[in-house]
Coordinates of all heavy atoms in Angstrom, one line a residue:
Chain A
R9 N 58.5 183.5 113.1 CA 58.2 184.5 114.1 C 57.2 183.9 115.1 O 57.2 184.2 116.3 CB 57.5 185.7 113.5 CG 58.5 186.6 112.7 CD 59.6 187.1 113.6 NE 59.2 187.8 114.7 CZ 59.0 189.1 114.8 NH1 59.2 189.9 113.7 NH2 58.6 189.7 115.9
N31 N 80.5 183.6 118.6 CA 79.5 183.2 119.7 C 78.1 183.2 119.2 O 77.7 184.2 118.6 CB 79.7 184.1 120.9 CG 81.0 184.1 121.5 OD1 81.7 183.1 121.5 ND2 81.5 185.2 122.0
F33 N 73.9 182.3 120.9 CA 73.2 182.1 122.1 C 71.8 181.8 121.8 O 71.2 182.4 120.9 CB 73.3 183.4 123.0 CG 74.7 183.9 123.2 CD1 75.3 184.7 122.3 CD2 75.3 183.6 124.4 CE1 76.5 185.3 122.5 CE2 76.6 184.2 124.6 CZ 77.2 185.0 123.7
Y35 N 68.2 182.2 124.1 CA 67.5 182.6 125.3 C 66.0 182.4 125.2 O 65.5 182.3 124.1 CB 67.7 184.1 125.5 CG 69.1 184.7 125.7 CD1 69.8 185.1 124.6 CD2 69.6 184.8 127.0 CE1 71.1 185.6 124.8 CE2 70.9 185.3 127.2 CZ 71.6 185.7 126.1 OH 72.9 186.2 126.3
Q37 N 62.5 184.3 126.9 CA 62.1 185.5 127.6 C 60.6 185.3 128.1 O 59.7 185.1 127.2 CB 62.2 186.7 126.7 CG 62.0 188.0 127.5 CD 62.3 189.3 126.6 OE1 62.1 189.2 125.4 NE2 62.7 190.3 127.3
G40 N 58.3 188.9 133.7 CA 58.7 188.8 135.1 C 60.0 188.0 135.4 O 60.5 188.1 136.5
L41 N 60.5 187.3 134.4 CA 61.7 186.5 134.5 C 62.8 187.0 133.7 O 64.0 186.6 133.9 CB 61.4 185.0 134.2 CG 60.4 184.3 135.1 CD1 60.2 182.9 134.6 CD2 60.9 184.3 136.5
L43 N 65.3 187.7 130.4 CA 66.0 186.8 129.4 C 66.8 185.8 130.2 O 67.6 186.2 131.0 CB 66.9 187.7 128.6 CG 66.3 188.3 127.3 CD1 67.2 189.5 126.9 CD2 66.2 187.3 126.2
L45 N 69.4 182.4 129.8 CA 70.2 181.7 128.8 C 70.0 180.2 128.8 O 70.1 179.6 129.9 CB 71.7 182.0 129.1 CG 72.7 181.4 128.2 CD1 72.6 181.9 126.8 CD2 74.1 181.6 128.7
F48 N 74.7 178.1 124.9 CA 75.7 179.0 124.3 C 76.7 178.2 123.5 O 77.0 177.1 123.9 CB 76.4 179.8 125.5 CG 77.7 180.3 125.3 CD1 77.9 181.2 124.2 CD2 78.8 180.1 126.1 CE1 79.2 181.8 124.0 CE2 80.0 180.7 125.9 CZ 80.2 181.5 124.8
E56 N 77.8 175.0 125.4 CA 77.9 175.1 126.8 C 76.5 175.3 127.3 O 75.8 176.1 126.8 CB 78.9 176.2 127.2 CG 79.4 176.1 128.6 CD 80.5 177.2 128.8 OE1 81.5 177.2 128.0 OE2 80.3 178.0 129.8
D59 N 71.7 178.6 131.9 CA 71.1 178.5 133.2 C 69.9 177.6 133.2 O 69.5 177.1 134.3 CB 70.6 179.9 133.6 CG 71.8 180.9 133.8 OD1 72.8 180.5 134.4 OD2 71.7 182.0 133.2
S96 N 82.9 188.7 120.4 CA 83.7 188.2 121.5 C 83.2 188.8 122.8 O 82.2 189.5 122.8 CB 85.1 188.4 121.3 OG 85.4 189.8 121.5
I97 N 83.9 188.6 123.8 CA 83.5 189.0 125.2 C 83.3 190.5 125.3 O 82.4 190.9 126.1 CB 84.6 188.5 126.2 CG1 84.1 188.4 127.6 CG2 85.9 189.3 126.1 CD1 85.0 187.7 128.5
D98 N 84.0 191.3 124.6 CA 83.9 192.8 124.8 C 82.9 193.4 123.9 O 82.7 194.6 123.9 CB 85.2 193.4 124.5 CG 86.3 193.0 125.5 OD1 86.0 192.6 126.6 OD2 87.5 193.1 125.1
E100 N 79.0 193.7 121.9 CA 77.6 193.5 122.2 C 77.0 192.3 121.5 O 77.6 191.8 120.5 CB 76.7 194.7 121.8 CG 76.7 195.0 120.3 CD 77.8 195.9 119.9 OE1 78.9 195.9 120.5 OE2 77.5 196.6 118.9
Q101 N 75.9 191.8 122.0 CA 75.2 190.7 121.4 C 74.1 191.3 120.5 O 73.4 192.3 120.8 CB 74.5 189.8 122.4 CG 75.6 189.0 123.2 CD 74.9 188.0 124.2 OE1 73.8 187.6 124.1 NE2 75.7 187.5 125.1
F103 N 70.6 190.5 118.5 CA 69.5 189.6 118.6 C 68.7 189.4 117.4 O 68.6 190.4 116.6 CB 68.6 190.1 119.7 CG 69.1 189.9 121.1 CD1 70.0 190.8 121.7 CD2 68.8 188.8 121.9 CE1 70.5 190.7 123.0 CE2 69.3 188.6 123.2 CZ 70.2 189.6 123.7
G104 N 68.2 188.2 117.2 CA 67.2 188.0 116.1 C 65.9 188.5 116.6 O 65.7 188.9 117.7
Chain N
N30 N 82.7 190.8 133.6 CA 83.2 191.1 132.3 C 82.6 192.2 131.6 O 82.4 192.3 130.4 CB 83.1 189.8 131.4 CG 84.0 188.7 131.9 OD1 85.0 189.0 132.5 ND2 83.6 187.5 131.6
F33 N 76.3 195.8 130.3 CA 75.6 196.2 129.0 C 74.2 196.7 129.4 O 73.6 196.3 130.3 CB 75.4 195.0 128.1 CG 76.7 194.5 127.5 CD1 77.4 193.5 128.2 CD2 77.1 194.9 126.2 CE1 78.6 193.0 127.7 CE2 78.3 194.3 125.7 CZ 79.0 193.4 126.4
Y35 N 70.6 197.3 127.2 CA 69.9 197.1 126.0 C 68.5 197.8 126.1 O 67.9 197.9 127.2 CB 69.6 195.6 125.7 CG 70.9 194.9 125.3 CD1 71.8 194.4 126.2 CD2 71.1 194.6 124.0 CE1 72.9 193.7 125.9 CE2 72.3 193.9 123.6 CZ 73.2 193.5 124.5 OH 74.3 192.8 124.1
Q37 N 64.6 197.5 124.6 CA 63.7 196.6 123.9 C 62.3 197.2 123.8 O 61.6 197.3 124.8 CB 63.6 195.2 124.6 CG 62.8 194.2 123.9 CD 62.8 192.8 124.6 OE1 63.0 192.7 125.8 NE2 62.6 191.7 123.8
G40 N 57.4 193.8 121.7 CA 57.3 192.9 120.5 C 58.5 192.8 119.6 O 58.5 192.2 118.6
A42 N 63.1 192.7 119.3 CA 64.3 192.2 119.9 C 65.0 193.3 120.6 O 64.9 194.5 120.3 CB 65.2 191.6 118.8
P43 N 65.8 192.9 121.7 CA 66.7 193.9 122.3 C 67.7 194.5 121.4 O 68.2 193.8 120.5 CB 67.3 193.1 123.4 CG 66.5 191.9 123.6 CD 65.9 191.6 122.3
F45 N 71.4 197.0 121.4 CA 72.4 197.4 122.2 C 72.4 199.0 122.4 O 72.2 199.7 121.5 CB 73.8 197.0 121.6 CG 75.0 197.6 122.2 CD1 75.5 197.2 123.4 CD2 75.6 198.7 121.6 CE1 76.6 197.8 124.0 CE2 76.8 199.2 122.1 CZ 77.3 198.8 123.3
Y48 N 78.0 199.9 126.8 CA 78.8 198.9 127.5 C 79.8 199.7 128.4 O 80.5 200.6 128.0 CB 79.6 198.2 126.4 CG 80.7 197.2 126.9 CD1 80.3 196.2 127.8 CD2 82.0 197.4 126.5 CE1 81.3 195.3 128.2 CE2 83.0 196.5 127.0 CZ 82.6 195.5 127.8 OH 83.6 194.6 128.3
L87 N 67.0 196.9 129.6 CA 67.6 195.7 130.2 C 69.1 195.9 130.6 O 69.9 196.3 129.8 CB 67.5 194.5 129.2 CG 66.3 194.2 128.5 CD1 66.4 193.0 127.5 CD2 65.1 194.0 129.4
R92 N 79.7 187.6 132.9 CA 80.1 186.8 134.1 C 81.0 185.6 133.9 O 81.1 185.2 132.7 CB 78.8 186.3 134.8 CG 78.0 185.5 133.8 CD 76.8 184.8 134.4 NE 75.9 184.4 133.3 CZ 75.1 183.3 133.5 NH1 75.1 182.7 134.6 NH2 74.4 183.0 132.5
N94 N 83.9 185.1 133.6 CA 85.1 185.2 132.6 C 84.7 184.5 131.3 O 85.6 183.9 130.7 CB 86.4 184.7 133.2 CG 86.8 185.5 134.4 OD1 86.7 186.7 134.4 ND2 87.1 184.8 135.5
T95 N 83.5 184.5 131.0 CA 83.1 184.0 129.7 C 82.3 185.0 128.9 O 82.2 186.1 129.4 CB 82.1 182.7 129.9 OG1 80.9 183.2 130.3 CG2 82.7 181.7 130.8
D96 N 81.8 184.6 127.8 CA 81.0 185.6 127.0 C 79.5 185.5 127.3 O 78.7 186.1 126.7 CB 81.1 185.2 125.5 CG 82.5 185.6 125.0 OD1 83.4 185.9 125.8 OD2 82.8 185.5 123.8
K97 N 79.2 184.8 128.4 CA 77.8 184.7 128.8 C 77.4 186.0 129.6 O 78.1 186.5 130.4 CB 77.6 183.5 129.7 CG 77.8 182.2 129.0 CD 77.4 181.0 129.8 CE 78.4 180.7 130.9 NZ 78.1 179.4 131.6
L98 N 76.1 186.3 129.4 CA 75.5 187.5 130.1 C 74.4 187.0 131.0 O 73.7 186.0 130.7 CB 74.9 188.5 129.2 CG 75.8 189.2 128.2 CD1 75.0 190.1 127.3 CD2 76.9 190.0 128.9
F100 N 71.0 188.6 132.6 CA 70.1 189.8 132.4 C 69.3 190.0 133.6 O 68.8 189.1 134.2 CB 69.2 189.5 131.2 CG 69.8 189.7 129.8 CD1 70.6 188.7 129.2 CD2 69.7 190.9 129.2 CE1 71.2 188.9 128.0 CE2 70.3 191.1 127.9 CZ 71.0 190.1 127.4
G101 N 69.0 191.3 133.9 CA 68.0 191.7 134.8 C 66.6 191.5 134.1 O 66.5 191.3 132.9
T102 N 65.6 191.7 134.9 CA 64.2 191.5 134.3 C 63.7 192.6 133.5 O 62.7 192.6 132.9 CB 63.2 191.1 135.5 OG1 63.3 192.2 136.4 CG2 63.5 189.8 136.1

Side-chain angles (χ1 to χ4, degrees):
Chain A
R9 289 301 304 269
N31 301 325
F33 308 82
Y35 296 91
Q37 187 172 31
L41 296 177
L43 275 162
L45 181 65
F48 158 52
E56 199 171 305
D59 299 309
S96 74
I97 198 169
D98 295 335
E100 68 267 33
Q101 294 184 15
F103 286 84
Chain N
N30 292 332
F33 293 83
Y35 286 84
Q37 186 177 26
F45 169 76
Y48 172 62
L87 314 179
R92 54 174 167 154
N94 298 314
T95 71
D96 291 7
K97 294 189 285 189
L98 296 179
F100 281 84
T102 53

